[in-house]
Amino acid sequence: MKKILVSFISLNIASGAFAATPWWQQPTVCKLNPTDCYPSMGTGYDSELWDAGSNCWGMKLICPEALTAEEYQPVPMGKADIAKGTGIKQDFNTSLLNGDCFGVRKTTSDGAMASVDGEYVKVWCNGILDNPDDFLENGEITYGKQPTCAELAEYGYVGVINNNCYGKYYDSAEYFIECDGDDLLPSRIILLNGADYNASSDGPADENAANKIFDEMESVSESQRDKYFTK
């Protein structure tokens, strides 16, 4: 009887000690790891989400345009899935912040080239493309066929680098852009030197005469190149 009484008193004492500590803080309760997944979590993170795959708190918010699935809002993803590239387009860098989420299209050449389906294409200066598929910091890109020399020349542009995008403008009243087939770059750019190419005339008699006229125009333009072009 004495042994039973002593045990009962000991149990009451122990229960009283635990009762002073909230149940969720008691050492017998299984708790989630309090470790943060990232050193600091500001814009682009949700610090209140549990990353079960990495056993830590915090998830990156991935921009919808960087995901292979069609999404309209940033999607929280765990560190392991991001590292493996699970559901992320190969053209996007998820280590760079893009507004309030992570996922910026990969670029090179100071932003003048951008990744599309794993290949780098030219970033055209704003306003050159008729129907751009995406707008980047330095300009626009198209996912399909790139413009030709003739298509660009119609609006007075040549497909060469212009600071950090492609497309240099030549005033059609001062220059003639000569294209050859479907090549991007013109075969030559002729300085008109004040000639009014819209003026009515009978025109050259044949192709040889036309070539002679262009050669003469080119000769004049070469003599004034230092005035109009920077070496």
Side-chain angles (χ1 to χ4, degrees), residues 6 15 32 39 49 62 89 91 110 125-126 137 149-150 187 222:
V6 170
S15 299
L32 296 176
L49 291 179
I62 307 303
K89 294 178 182 176
D91 300 317
D110 292 327
C125 300
N126 290 319
E137 182 178 357
C149 172
S187 54
E222 287 179 354

Side-chain angles (χ1 to χ4, degrees), residues 134-145:
D134 198 0
F135 298 89
L136 307 183
E137 182 178 357
N138 294 344
E140 312 163 342
I141 60 173
T142 177
Y143 300 156
K145 183 176 178 293

Side-chain angles (χ1 to χ4, degrees), residues 168 225-231:
K168 187 173 182 179
R225 182 167 297 165
D226 291 339
K227 180 179 179 181
Y228 291 96
F229 294 92
T230 301
K231 291 184 178 181

Side-chain angles (χ1 to χ4, degrees), residues 5-16:
L5 180 59
V6 170
S7 298
F8 180 74
I9 293 173
S10 299
L11 180 60
N12 281 340
I13 294 173
S15 299

Side-chain angles (χ1 to χ4, degrees), residues 25-71:
Q25 294 181 0
Q26 292 179 13
T28 56
V29 176
C30 295
K31 292 176 289 188
L32 296 176
N33 187 348
T35 304
D36 289 338
C37 296
Y38 302 94
S40 60
M41 286 180 278
T43 303
Y45 295 91
D46 192 325
S47 60
E48 297 182 357
L49 291 179
W50 171 251
D51 184 350
S54 298
N55 189 34
C56 55
W57 285 101
M59 286 191 176
K60 266 186 177 182
L61 300 175
I62 307 303
C63 299
E65 56 267 28
L67 300 172
T68 55
E70 186 175 1
E71 301 287 349

Side-chain angles (χ1 to χ4, degrees), residues 54-152:
S54 298
N55 189 34
C56 55
W57 285 101
M59 286 191 176
K60 266 186 177 182
L61 300 175
I62 307 303
C63 299
E65 56 267 28
L67 300 172
T68 55
E70 186 175 1
E71 301 287 349
Y72 300 96
Q73 297 292 333
V75 175
M77 292 186 65
K79 294 182 69 173
D81 287 337
I82 293 175
K84 292 186 292 186
T86 304
I88 298 173
K89 294 178 182 176
Q90 62 178 330
D91 300 317
F92 285 80
N93 184 349
T94 54
S95 65
L96 298 178
L97 191 63
N98 185 9
D100 59 354
C101 54
F102 285 88
V104 175
R105 187 177 291 275
K106 296 175 183 177
T107 60
T108 187
S109 302
D110 292 327
M113 303 287 289
S115 180
V116 175
D117 294 332
E119 302 288 338
Y120 280 90
V121 301
K122 291 178 173 58
V123 176
W124 298 96
C125 300
N126 290 319
I128 292 179
L129 297 178
D130 287 335
N131 296 295
D133 292 307
D134 198 0
F135 298 89
L136 307 183
E137 182 178 357
N138 294 344
E140 312 163 342
I141 60 173
T142 177
Y143 300 156
K145 183 176 178 293
Q146 299 298 306
T148 64
C149 172
E151 291 170 340
L152 293 171

Side-chain angles (χ1 to χ4, degrees), residues 152-173:
L152 293 171
E154 184 178 357
Y155 301 100
Y157 287 100
V158 172
V160 295
I161 193 73
N162 182 11
N163 294 320
N164 51 11
C165 58
Y166 279 81
K168 187 173 182 179
Y169 179 72
Y170 288 84
D171 189 339
S172 59

